[in-house]
Amino acid sequence: SWNFCSTFRLQLPFSVELSISLYSFNWCQRLSIRVTMSFDLKTDAGLKTFNDALATQAFATGFVLSGEDSNLFESLKAAPDAKKFANVARWYKNIASYEKKERSEWPGATTSAAAEKDDDEDIDLFGSDSEDEEKAKQTADRLREYAAKKAKKAGPIAKSNIIFDVKPWDDTIDVKDIEAAVRGIEMDGLVWGAGKIMPVAFGIMKLQICCVVEDDKVSTDALEESITGFEDLVQSIDVVAFNKV
């Protein structure tokens, strides 16, 4: 029997930590590989690397939102150039649709949720112990401000991440035309994510595309009807994954 364990660090426009553990007992073998990636979006090289990664995935770590998306978003001072980094620009628009407090609650986010509180600690609800009339007035004003803030505070927006498989009628249809048509669908609360072309069979390709929707604004049935409405291009549509975010 034998075993082997090692860790490698690669210095690229993004950082990669690769840990490999290999075990063998008698005829049983086990290979375990863990890859952790983080991107530096402060340089064009880092943005290009992230842009290339988003060509095959919706978010920083795959198809599920994580703290890495929140951290990367916070590292950007403004939206990236959509002409140079189209995938990053689309990702940025998606992440920007979430409130900062929501992003701070994603697993692994370094943004402190404390920064998003209603500044309750900055409001002295009880004022001074003095019976001075001016102090009493200030206390009343602060109470009104506090009540107004609490009244305006909105609850978290329920959203879902959906991955569709969109299939053409035959191999004479360009799947890029299907993607262009699908991305042309605009709804309040709908943000399209990454898309990729994948083989089906007999030379026929399909489009797999991701989107994030606000549950209260976008009906999944209505979205599917809009896609299948391109009758000359689309033969069928399937939901590959449906996750709450």
Side-chain angles (χ1 to χ4, degrees):
S1 63
W2 44 268
N3 63 77
F4 171 80
C5 180
S6 185
T7 298
F8 303 91
R9 292 179 182 275
L10 307 180
Q11 297 299 321
L12 299 169
F14 53 93
S15 63
V16 176
E17 179 178 323
L18 177 63
S19 296
I20 300 179
S21 299
L22 184 63
Y23 305 90
S24 176
F25 299 95
N26 297 327
W27 295 104
C28 299
Q29 296 183 4
R30 175 187 173 190
L31 174 64
S32 173
I33 299 178
R34 178 171 63 85
V35 178
T36 303
M37 300 176 62
S38 60
F39 302 90
D40 178 9
L41 304 190
K42 296 179 181 179
T43 65
D44 280 359
L47 281 167
K48 183 180 184 304
T49 301
F50 190 41
N51 191 73
D52 293 342
L54 290 176
T56 57
Q57 61 195 52
F59 305 111
T61 58
F63 286 92
V64 178
L65 286 164
S66 70
E68 184 67 11
D69 292 287
S70 176
N71 299 338
L72 290 172
F73 180 83
E74 294 296 332
S75 72
L76 287 171
K77 301 301 182 183
D81 187 340
K83 293 183 179 179
K84 294 174 62 178
F85 311 110
N87 294 331
V88 181
R90 185 164 55 244
W91 167 88
Y92 184 92
K93 180 180 178 182
N94 188 343
I95 303 303
S97 69
Y98 293 89
E99 298 292 336
K100 187 173 182 179
K101 184 177 185 300
E102 290 181 87
R103 298 196 298 269
S104 71
E105 295 171 350
W106 295 343
T110 58
T111 304
S112 173
E116 290 305 304
K117 290 184 179 179
D118 295 327
D119 299 328
D120 294 353
E121 296 175 355
D122 295 334
I123 300 175
D124 182 4
L125 300 181
F126 303 102
S128 170
D129 291 336
S130 171
E131 297 297 326
D132 183 82
E133 182 178 350
E134 182 63 25
K135 294 293 184 180
K137 181 177 181 299
Q138 290 179 1
T139 301
D141 290 342
R142 289 170 179 167
L143 284 168
R144 282 194 293 272
E145 291 174 6
Y146 175 78
K149 281 188 176 184
K150 297 298 286 184
K152 291 179 180 179
K153 182 179 178 181
I157 300 173
K159 297 183 180 182
S160 299
N161 181 53
I162 309 172
I163 302 175
F164 292 111
D165 267 358
V166 186
K167 298 174 184 176
W169 287 102
D170 51 45
D171 60 354
T172 63
I173 296 175
D174 191 339
V175 180
K176 291 182 179 179
D177 292 339
I178 295 179
E179 182 173 6
V182 171
R183 291 191 184 280
I185 299 173
E186 295 183 354
M187 297 181 180
D188 184 24
L190 166 67
V191 178
W192 291 108
K196 57 183 177 180
I197 298 174
M198 303 174 64
V200 179
F202 307 109
I204 299 176
M205 309 297 284
K206 68 179 179 180
L207 169 68
Q208 186 170 98
I209 190 167
C210 167
C211 69
V212 174
V213 300
E214 293 185 22
D215 296 344
D216 291 339
K217 294 181 178 180
V218 179
S219 163
T220 305
D221 291 339
L223 182 55
E224 291 184 22
E225 288 178 4
S226 297
I227 296 174
T228 55
F230 302 110
E231 297 179 352
D232 294 337
L233 300 173
V234 177
Q235 185 266 335
S236 65
I237 179 173
D238 296 308
V239 175
V240 178
F242 193 113
N243 299 303
K244 295 294 182 181
V245 294

